[in-house]
Amino acid sequence: MAVLGGAIGLLTTGSLARAQGIEVTKEMILNDPAAPTGGNPNGDVTIVNFTDYNCPYCKQVAPILARVIEEDGHIRHVYKDWPVIRPTSIDGARLALAAHHQGKYEAAHAALMGIPGSGIAADQMRSALGDAGIDLARLDSDLSARSGEIEDLIKRNMAQGDALGLTGTPSFLIGPFRLSVLDYDGFKQVIADARASQKDKNG
C-alpha cells in the first residue's frame, strides 16, 4: 500500500503539477463537477477510481468495489475514465461519459466492465450499453453535442493520472493511500485505515 506522502502534501497546498498544460489540484481530483460520482455524496471517505474498460484487472475489481461501497453506505465514489491501455479504450471512455448525460453513467460503467477480456471493439461496447438500457440514439446525440466537454474531462483525467505518477489501471486513491488491485478484505482494511487517518488528523 503506497502512502501519498509528497503528492498529498503538494495537493493540500494547492497545485500538484501541470500535466499536458493542465493545472492539477486536489480540488479537481476530488471534486471535478463534470466527473461522474456514485455511492454516498456525503460520505466520510472518498474513493477516486482511475479505470480503463480494456483493463482485465479493473473488471475483476469492479464488482468487489461496488459491493463494498453498497455495504458500507458512507463512501463517495469518484470515477476517473483513464483510457491508457488500447486505442479502443478512448471509445469506452467517451461512451460511458456520454451516458452520464442521460443519467446512466453507472449503468454504462457496469455494462462495459462486464464485457470479458481486453481489446474490446467499439461495436461490442455499444451492444453492451444497449442491452443495459442505455438510449443509443440519445448517446449518439450527446457524443456529438457534448464532444468538447467529454474530451476536456478525459484530458483532465489523463493529466491528473500523470501528475500523480500513476503507472496503470486500476489505481485508487482512498484517503491518503494509493493502491491498485484489492480483494474484498483489502478494500475494507484500507477504508478503515483511511478513516483512522482522518480521525487522527482531526485530533
mmCIF file of all heavy atoms in Angstrom, residues 76-97:
data_model
loop_
_atom_site.group_PDB
_atom_site.id
_atom_site.type_symbol
_atom_site.label_atom_id
_atom_site.label_comp_id
_atom_site.label_asym_id
_atom_site.label_seq_id
_atom_site.Cartn_x
_atom_site.Cartn_y
_atom_site.Cartn_z
ATOM 1 N N ARG A 76 -18.038 7.851 -0.784
ATOM 2 C CA ARG A 76 -18.270 8.604 -2.018
ATOM 3 C C ARG A 76 -17.295 8.069 -3.060
ATOM 4 O O ARG A 76 -16.102 7.928 -2.802
ATOM 5 C CB ARG A 76 -18.034 10.096 -1.774
ATOM 6 C CG ARG A 76 -18.159 10.974 -3.001
ATOM 7 C CD ARG A 76 -18.066 12.446 -2.593
ATOM 8 N NE ARG A 76 -17.971 13.315 -3.754
ATOM 9 C CZ ARG A 76 -16.836 13.806 -4.251
ATOM 10 N NH1 ARG A 76 -15.679 13.510 -3.668
ATOM 11 N NH2 ARG A 76 -16.842 14.584 -5.313
ATOM 12 N N HIS A 77 -17.807 7.762 -4.257
ATOM 13 C CA HIS A 77 -17.018 7.124 -5.305
ATOM 14 C C HIS A 77 -16.899 8.081 -6.490
ATOM 15 O O HIS A 77 -17.907 8.468 -7.081
ATOM 16 C CB HIS A 77 -17.717 5.826 -5.738
ATOM 17 C CG HIS A 77 -16.944 4.996 -6.703
ATOM 18 N ND1 HIS A 77 -17.491 3.899 -7.331
ATOM 19 C CD2 HIS A 77 -15.664 5.079 -7.147
ATOM 20 C CE1 HIS A 77 -16.579 3.349 -8.116
ATOM 21 N NE2 HIS A 77 -15.470 4.044 -8.031
ATOM 22 N N VAL A 78 -15.676 8.468 -6.815
ATOM 23 C CA VAL A 78 -15.428 9.364 -7.938
ATOM 24 C C VAL A 78 -14.794 8.561 -9.070
ATOM 25 O O VAL A 78 -13.750 7.934 -8.885
ATOM 26 C CB VAL A 78 -14.487 10.524 -7.545
ATOM 27 C CG1 VAL A 78 -14.243 11.439 -8.747
ATOM 28 C CG2 VAL A 78 -15.071 11.311 -6.383
ATOM 29 N N TYR A 79 -15.443 8.562 -10.224
ATOM 30 C CA TYR A 79 -14.963 7.809 -11.381
ATOM 31 C C TYR A 79 -14.057 8.674 -12.251
ATOM 32 O O TYR A 79 -14.413 9.804 -12.598
ATOM 33 C CB TYR A 79 -16.130 7.336 -12.234
ATOM 34 C CG TYR A 79 -17.045 6.342 -11.580
ATOM 35 C CD1 TYR A 79 -18.178 6.768 -10.880
ATOM 36 C CD2 TYR A 79 -16.827 4.971 -11.683
ATOM 37 C CE1 TYR A 79 -19.041 5.844 -10.300
ATOM 38 C CE2 TYR A 79 -17.685 4.042 -11.107
ATOM 39 C CZ TYR A 79 -18.797 4.493 -10.417
ATOM 40 O OH TYR A 79 -19.644 3.589 -9.848
ATOM 41 N N LYS A 80 -12.893 8.128 -12.595
ATOM 42 C CA LYS A 80 -11.966 8.800 -13.498
ATOM 43 C C LYS A 80 -11.688 7.871 -14.680
ATOM 44 O O LYS A 80 -10.907 6.920 -14.576
ATOM 45 C CB LYS A 80 -10.649 9.123 -12.785
ATOM 46 C CG LYS A 80 -10.772 10.050 -11.589
ATOM 47 C CD LYS A 80 -11.030 11.483 -12.012
ATOM 48 C CE LYS A 80 -11.065 12.398 -10.793
ATOM 49 N NZ LYS A 80 -11.224 13.814 -11.171
ATOM 50 N N ASP A 81 -12.359 8.113 -15.787
ATOM 51 C CA ASP A 81 -12.072 7.337 -17.002
ATOM 52 C C ASP A 81 -10.679 7.728 -17.478
ATOM 53 O O ASP A 81 -10.443 8.880 -17.851
ATOM 54 C CB ASP A 81 -13.134 7.628 -18.062
ATOM 55 C CG ASP A 81 -14.457 6.979 -17.713
ATOM 56 O OD1 ASP A 81 -14.588 5.774 -17.954
ATOM 57 O OD2 ASP A 81 -15.337 7.676 -17.178
ATOM 58 N N TRP A 82 -9.786 6.751 -17.472
ATOM 59 C CA TRP A 82 -8.366 6.983 -17.775
ATOM 60 C C TRP A 82 -7.944 5.998 -18.857
ATOM 61 O O TRP A 82 -7.407 4.930 -18.571
ATOM 62 C CB TRP A 82 -7.550 6.796 -16.487
ATOM 63 C CG TRP A 82 -6.174 7.367 -16.504
ATOM 64 C CD1 TRP A 82 -5.796 8.605 -16.927
ATOM 65 C CD2 TRP A 82 -4.978 6.720 -16.053
ATOM 66 N NE1 TRP A 82 -4.430 8.782 -16.763
ATOM 67 C CE2 TRP A 82 -3.909 7.632 -16.222
ATOM 68 C CE3 TRP A 82 -4.702 5.466 -15.510
ATOM 69 C CZ2 TRP A 82 -2.599 7.319 -15.886
ATOM 70 C CZ3 TRP A 82 -3.396 5.164 -15.168
ATOM 71 C CH2 TRP A 82 -2.354 6.084 -15.351
ATOM 72 N N PRO A 83 -8.233 6.305 -20.114
ATOM 73 C CA PRO A 83 -8.063 5.342 -21.212
ATOM 74 C C PRO A 83 -6.617 5.235 -21.684
ATOM 75 O O PRO A 83 -6.193 5.937 -22.599
ATOM 76 C CB PRO A 83 -8.974 5.896 -22.304
ATOM 77 C CG PRO A 83 -8.987 7.382 -22.052
ATOM 78 C CD PRO A 83 -8.872 7.552 -20.563
ATOM 79 N N VAL A 84 -5.868 4.314 -21.068
ATOM 80 C CA VAL A 84 -4.429 4.248 -21.315
ATOM 81 C C VAL A 84 -3.955 2.929 -21.925
ATOM 82 O O VAL A 84 -2.780 2.811 -22.284
ATOM 83 C CB VAL A 84 -3.646 4.492 -20.001
ATOM 84 C CG1 VAL A 84 -3.872 5.907 -19.502
ATOM 85 C CG2 VAL A 84 -4.026 3.480 -18.920
ATOM 86 N N ILE A 85 -4.834 1.939 -22.053
ATOM 87 C CA ILE A 85 -4.364 0.597 -22.415
ATOM 88 C C ILE A 85 -4.341 0.375 -23.927
ATOM 89 O O ILE A 85 -3.331 -0.068 -24.488
ATOM 90 C CB ILE A 85 -5.226 -0.475 -21.719
ATOM 91 C CG1 ILE A 85 -4.984 -0.407 -20.212
ATOM 92 C CG2 ILE A 85 -4.901 -1.863 -22.256
ATOM 93 C CD1 ILE A 85 -5.790 -1.399 -19.405
ATOM 94 N N ARG A 86 -5.441 0.645 -24.607
ATOM 95 C CA ARG A 86 -5.550 0.376 -26.040
ATOM 96 C C ARG A 86 -6.246 1.548 -26.732
ATOM 97 O O ARG A 86 -6.939 2.329 -26.073
ATOM 98 C CB ARG A 86 -6.349 -0.904 -26.287
ATOM 99 C CG ARG A 86 -5.674 -2.173 -25.789
ATOM 100 C CD ARG A 86 -6.557 -3.390 -26.064
ATOM 101 N NE ARG A 86 -5.948 -4.616 -25.588
ATOM 102 C CZ ARG A 86 -5.148 -5.391 -26.310
ATOM 103 N NH1 ARG A 86 -4.865 -5.050 -27.556
ATOM 104 N NH2 ARG A 86 -4.645 -6.497 -25.793
ATOM 105 N N PRO A 87 -6.113 1.657 -28.044
ATOM 106 C CA PRO A 87 -6.820 2.735 -28.748
ATOM 107 C C PRO A 87 -8.328 2.715 -28.504
ATOM 108 O O PRO A 87 -8.948 3.790 -28.420
ATOM 109 C CB PRO A 87 -6.475 2.473 -30.219
ATOM 110 C CG PRO A 87 -5.139 1.806 -30.175
ATOM 111 C CD PRO A 87 -5.175 0.938 -28.939
ATOM 112 N N THR A 88 -8.925 1.516 -28.392
ATOM 113 C CA THR A 88 -10.372 1.477 -28.177
ATOM 114 C C THR A 88 -10.758 1.872 -26.752
ATOM 115 O O THR A 88 -11.946 2.056 -26.474
ATOM 116 C CB THR A 88 -10.936 0.079 -28.475
ATOM 117 O OG1 THR A 88 -10.274 -0.894 -27.669
ATOM 118 C CG2 THR A 88 -10.791 -0.272 -29.947
ATOM 119 N N SER A 89 -9.780 2.006 -25.867
ATOM 120 C CA SER A 89 -10.099 2.465 -24.511
ATOM 121 C C SER A 89 -10.740 3.846 -24.542
ATOM 122 O O SER A 89 -11.628 4.159 -23.740
ATOM 123 C CB SER A 89 -8.839 2.496 -23.652
ATOM 124 O OG SER A 89 -8.291 1.210 -23.482
ATOM 125 N N ILE A 90 -10.298 4.685 -25.480
ATOM 126 C CA ILE A 90 -10.871 6.022 -25.588
ATOM 127 C C ILE A 90 -12.327 5.943 -26.029
ATOM 128 O O ILE A 90 -13.156 6.749 -25.601
ATOM 129 C CB ILE A 90 -10.047 6.915 -26.548
ATOM 130 C CG1 ILE A 90 -10.491 8.370 -26.461
ATOM 131 C CG2 ILE A 90 -10.115 6.425 -27.972
ATOM 132 C CD1 ILE A 90 -10.105 9.047 -25.189
ATOM 133 N N ASP A 91 -12.672 4.949 -26.844
ATOM 134 C CA ASP A 91 -14.075 4.763 -27.234
ATOM 135 C C ASP A 91 -14.925 4.456 -26.007
ATOM 136 O O ASP A 91 -16.017 5.010 -25.844
ATOM 137 C CB ASP A 91 -14.205 3.619 -28.246
ATOM 138 C CG ASP A 91 -13.507 3.912 -29.563
ATOM 139 O OD1 ASP A 91 -13.595 5.066 -30.027
ATOM 140 O OD2 ASP A 91 -12.885 3.003 -30.124
ATOM 141 N N GLY A 92 -14.424 3.569 -25.159
ATOM 142 C CA GLY A 92 -15.175 3.218 -23.955
ATOM 143 C C GLY A 92 -15.370 4.408 -23.044
ATOM 144 O O GLY A 92 -16.469 4.627 -22.516
ATOM 145 N N ALA A 93 -14.314 5.200 -22.860
ATOM 146 C CA ALA A 93 -14.420 6.378 -22.005
ATOM 147 C C ALA A 93 -15.446 7.366 -22.561
ATOM 148 O O ALA A 93 -16.281 7.898 -21.819
ATOM 149 C CB ALA A 93 -13.057 7.045 -21.871
ATOM 150 N N ARG A 94 -15.392 7.604 -23.862
ATOM 151 C CA ARG A 94 -16.348 8.544 -24.464
ATOM 152 C C ARG A 94 -17.780 8.052 -24.326
ATOM 153 O O ARG A 94 -18.687 8.824 -24.015
ATOM 154 C CB ARG A 94 -16.004 8.740 -25.940
ATOM 155 C CG ARG A 94 -14.748 9.559 -26.182
ATOM 156 C CD ARG A 94 -14.295 9.473 -27.629
ATOM 157 N NE ARG A 94 -13.146 10.325 -27.920
ATOM 158 C CZ ARG A 94 -12.298 10.120 -28.903
ATOM 159 N NH1 ARG A 94 -12.471 9.082 -29.727
ATOM 160 N NH2 ARG A 94 -11.283 10.930 -29.099
ATOM 161 N N LEU A 95 -17.992 6.761 -24.562
ATOM 162 C CA LEU A 95 -19.343 6.202 -24.469
ATOM 163 C C LEU A 95 -19.884 6.300 -23.045
ATOM 164 O O LEU A 95 -21.040 6.689 -22.826
ATOM 165 C CB LEU A 95 -19.340 4.746 -24.941
ATOM 166 C CG LEU A 95 -19.134 4.523 -26.441
ATOM 167 C CD1 LEU A 95 -18.829 3.063 -26.723
ATOM 168 C CD2 LEU A 95 -20.362 4.978 -27.226
ATOM 169 N N ALA A 96 -19.055 5.931 -22.071
ATOM 170 C CA ALA A 96 -19.508 5.984 -20.682
ATOM 171 C C ALA A 96 -19.829 7.414 -20.266
ATOM 172 O O ALA A 96 -20.851 7.668 -19.604
ATOM 173 C CB ALA A 96 -18.443 5.381 -19.768
ATOM 174 N N LEU A 97 -18.969 8.352 -20.653
ATOM 175 C CA LEU A 97 -19.201 9.735 -20.261
ATOM 176 C C LEU A 97 -20.376 10.357 -21.003
ATOM 177 O O LEU A 97 -21.084 11.210 -20.460
ATOM 178 C CB LEU A 97 -17.924 10.556 -20.489
ATOM 179 C CG LEU A 97 -16.775 10.168 -19.545
ATOM 180 C CD1 LEU A 97 -15.480 10.853 -19.957
ATOM 181 C CD2 LEU A 97 -17.119 10.486 -18.095
#
